[in-house]
Amino acid sequence: MIHPIVKYGDEVLARQSARITEFDGELQKLIEDMFESMYAAHGVGLAAPQIGISKRIAVIDVTFKENPAQKMVLINPEIIHKEGHQRSNEGCLSLPEFREKVTRPNRVTVRAQDIHGKTFEHTGEELLARAFLHETDHLNGKLFISHISALKRDLIKRKIRKLAKAGEW
Ligand SMILES: [Zn+2]
């Protein structure tokens, strides 16, 4: 089932999501829905709060369907190592149309649980490293605009307020 994407301004995006403790069929169904919703929205990553569910789950496919082996599910993820720097444009399905240059570590290791509750670690670079950080941020109530200058952030917020007033957000 495709869920609508929650946009910036919704309180669920600013909240700490709850840890997953039950690795059951319901969770599997939710993860399927998350991939479906992410692809429908043309995204390469999606965190559960973005479909209004305040739980620590993220799905990632930086190849966007090109390589099914690259599909990743992160449950209760934690960033355990980061190094280096990369700077490139970043966007978010919850902030459609807004992209900004964001500096992030270039090599990141995440520790998470899989769909069966098994703990694993995975190291990613460049876009994958960025996705690990971006999606884990979501689960902590943080958006990529918290990593840009206050000036740019205020500009985006002002544009969104205008769009909201016009009923376009
Ligand atoms: Zn996002």
Side-chain angles (χ1 to χ4, degrees):
M1 189 177 111
I2 295 170
H3 296 257
I5 306 292
V6 170
K7 284 187 193 171
Y8 171 82
D10 191 308
E11 177 269 330
V12 71
L13 294 176
R15 225 191 284 162
Q16 281 278 338
S17 299
R19 282 186 73 81
I20 298 292
T21 52
E22 303 278 339
F23 296 83
D24 54 11
E26 213 175 293
L27 178 68
Q28 293 196 6
K29 175 74 183 73
L30 175 56
I31 287 164
E32 275 170 35
D33 285 357
M34 284 177 64
F35 273 112
E36 226 183 300
S37 306
M38 177 184 84
Y39 290 133
H42 305 284
V44 295
L46 183 82
Q50 292 184 279
I51 55 166
I53 295 168
S54 194
K55 291 183 178 174
R56 304 187 81 78
I57 313 165
V59 297
I60 295 172
D61 179 3
V62 291
T63 75
F64 196 80
K65 299 184 188 172
E66 291 265 304
N67 183 357
Q70 299 282 305
K71 282 173 72 172
M72 287 194 73
V73 176
L74 305 178
I75 298 170
N76 302 323
E78 273 175 89
I79 304 296
I80 57 167
H81 184 76
K82 30 190 182 181
E83 64 183 71
H85 295 284
Q86 56 169 318
R87 184 165 174 81
S88 55
N89 268 323
E90 194 164 322
C92 178
L93 294 176
S94 296
L95 285 152
E97 312 293 324
F98 293 101
R99 293 183 74 77
E100 290 291 339
K101 280 230 184 323
V102 181
T103 302
R104 298 270 201 182
N106 192 48
R107 189 179 160 88
V108 170
T109 304
V110 68
R111 180 186 292 149
Q113 282 165 282
D114 70 10
I115 200 161
H116 307 292
K118 193 171 172 288
T119 300
F120 67 94
E121 289 177 11
H122 196 106
T123 300
E125 290 181 358
E126 298 173 9
L127 183 57
L128 186 56
R130 186 174 287 278
F132 287 163
L133 295 160
H134 182 115
E135 302 311 331
T136 305
D137 270 357
H138 269 302
L139 306 180
N140 295 321
K142 223 166 147 182
L143 298 173
F144 82 90
I145 53 169
S146 67
H147 297 286
I148 62 175
S149 72
L151 199 72
K152 283 184 178 161
R153 185 164 53 246
D154 287 346
L155 202 65
I156 289 176
K157 286 184 181 175
R158 219 175 310 147
K159 282 183 186 162
I160 291 173
R161 269 199 298 271
K162 242 187 221 167
L163 286 168
K165 244 188 205 165
E168 288 162 16
W169 187 257

